[in-house]
Amino acid sequence: MKVIYEPGFNYQLGLLKYLHPFDGEKFAKVISELGGSDIEIIYPSEPVPTKVINEYLNELMRKLVLSKTLVLRTLEVPSIPFVSFGFIDKKILTPMRLAVSGTLLGAENALKSGEIMWNLSGGFHHASYANMEGFCVYNDVGISYQQLRKSGHLSETDKVLIIDVDAHHGNGNAFSFKDNENVHLLDVYNEDIYPTSQYTRNRVNFPVPLKSGVEGCEYLEKLTQALELITVNYALVFVVAGTDVLAVDKLGGFKLTVEDVAKREKIILSHLKTLEIPTVVTGGGGYSKQSASAIAAAIKACSTL
């Protein structure tokens, strides 16, 4: 397994970081906690080019993504008059485009080597080619899929699976692939919270809706049962490994521990390893100070796979 990281993943916002519970510098903290391990780290060379982003977005979204007001609304922070779009682009959107490069790099390497690739950032599963919301501006899985098809890494008939274990339903991925029968979704989510769009929930092939307050034992049992339904010979799997399932997370509504998250990722990746399916893990959400520790613990638990 290889970890994908770049210092530019981190959101260096100064005092503005207090406007949102997301720990924008957690990626560096994960690397710090992994210090001394034998895990190999690879680095995306540059943010995904705007040209590639625009190939994915529809015409309206190309305009909307340049609006400071709409981007700030997507980031769930109030409009701030003295903050320019240039500042937002440099401090937030550029790290996000770098995260997209990380997911694409991970997918390319997974397909070539069969190794598990773990992108610390990415997993922007609320974004789509037609919308941005929920702190997700660019859909890294959708953009990566498009580029993999374009480059020939994936064929028109190759089947791809998205396993989403973020606490929130991945409505952006469901919308993006709503008409693509070759992309399947397994989604374990809190059915009591955002996003509640039923039509995107209905798009999920393997839905695992859970109630608020679920603890690790039940969560892992339901996840394991869903994984056992995977019988298709997928060419590639994307995993959205959000840590907002932690009990200390104020947004996810679940009651998992750091140890539960580590077990979760090991259950998923062990299963996919047995099936010999190339896999790239993406970061997903996580809005607590334990997020970095949970990611580091999961990587350590899976490092020998």
Side-chain angles (χ1 to χ4, degrees):
M1 185 177 75
K2 291 185 175 68
V3 169
I4 300 168
Y5 170 69
E6 219 288 335
F9 281 175
N10 297 284
Y11 304 99
Q12 306 288 347
L13 300 176
L15 293 176
L16 295 181
K17 67 183 180 182
Y18 297 109
L19 293 176
H20 196 279
F22 183 79
D23 183 359
E25 299 175 27
K26 70 178 179 180
F27 312 111
K29 294 175 183 176
V30 173
I31 294 300
S32 178
E33 292 200 32
L34 292 176
S37 66
D38 295 328
I39 297 169
E40 183 178 349
I41 299 173
I42 62 174
Y43 302 86
S45 59
E46 60 183 0
V48 68
T50 302
K51 177 183 177 182
V52 171
I53 296 284
N54 287 339
E55 286 177 8
Y56 179 72
L57 302 179
N58 66 16
E59 185 175 353
L60 177 60
M61 263 296 289
R62 289 174 205 153
K63 298 176 181 177
L64 295 181
V65 81
L66 298 176
S67 165
K68 185 185 89 168
T69 300
L70 292 177
V71 171
L72 286 175
R73 184 182 303 167
T74 298
L75 302 176
E76 301 176 0
V77 298
S79 184
I80 309 169
F82 63 84
V83 173
S84 68
F85 181 83
F87 177 89
I88 295 169
D89 186 59
K90 179 180 179 181
K91 297 292 187 176
I92 299 176
L93 299 184
T94 297
M96 285 186 170
R97 290 194 292 269
L98 193 56
V100 176
S101 283
T103 299
L104 178 56
L105 175 64
E108 291 171 342
N109 278 269
L111 287 167
K112 289 177 183 176
S113 68
E115 268 190 294
I116 297 168
M117 307 298 297
W118 195 308
N119 181 22
L120 294 186
S121 192
F124 304 135
H125 64 161
H126 298 309
S128 71
Y129 59 83
N131 193 32
M132 53 180 171
E133 61 180 271
F135 203 70
C136 300
V137 177
Y138 312 111
N139 185 310
D140 54 310
V141 171
I143 293 169
S144 296
Y145 178 82
Q146 182 184 68
Q147 292 304 304
L148 293 169
R149 285 286 311 279
K150 184 178 179 180
S151 65
H153 284 88
L154 289 175
S155 72
E156 182 180 356
T157 57
D158 279 334
K159 295 193 180 299
V160 170
L161 175 66
I162 302 170
I163 297 177
D164 192 333
V165 288
D166 187 290
H168 300 83
H169 159 56
N171 60 326
N173 283 332
F175 180 85
S176 295
F177 295 107
K178 59 184 171 58
D179 299 319
N180 190 331
E181 296 180 353
N182 288 320
V183 177
H184 296 174
L185 295 93
L186 188 162
D187 199 344
V188 185
Y189 62 91
N190 186 338
E191 65 177 337
D192 298 329
I193 63 173
Y194 161 89
T196 57
S197 50
Q198 195 59 47
Y199 74 100
T200 58
R201 291 184 177 188
N202 290 341
R203 169 61 181 84
V204 178
N205 305 83
F206 308 102
V208 187
L210 300 172
K211 292 291 186 181
S212 293
V214 164
E215 297 184 355
C217 185
E218 180 182 354
Y219 181 102
L220 296 174
E221 180 182 359
K222 294 292 178 63
L223 168 64
T224 301
Q225 291 171 356
L227 290 172
E228 290 171 353
L229 299 176
I230 297 175
T231 57
V232 173
N233 186 23
Y234 292 102
L236 178 66
V237 174
F238 293 94
V239 179
V240 181
T243 56
D244 48 5
V245 295
L246 290 166
V248 296
D249 195 291
K250 296 180 179 179
L251 300 182
F254 288 154
K255 300 296 182 182
L256 274 66
T257 65
V258 167
E259 293 75 18
D260 291 330
V261 171
K263 288 178 183 177
R264 181 189 71 178
E265 265 66 282
K266 190 164 187 179
I267 288 170
I268 295 170
L269 296 182
S270 296
H271 187 71
L272 297 176
K273 187 78 171 178
T274 300
L275 297 175
E276 299 182 337
I277 305 175
T279 301
V280 55
V281 181
T282 63
Y287 310 95
S288 74
K289 297 302 181 183
Q290 284 187 4
S291 181
S293 294
I295 296 167
I299 290 172
K300 290 175 182 177
C302 300
S303 62
T304 57
L305 294 177

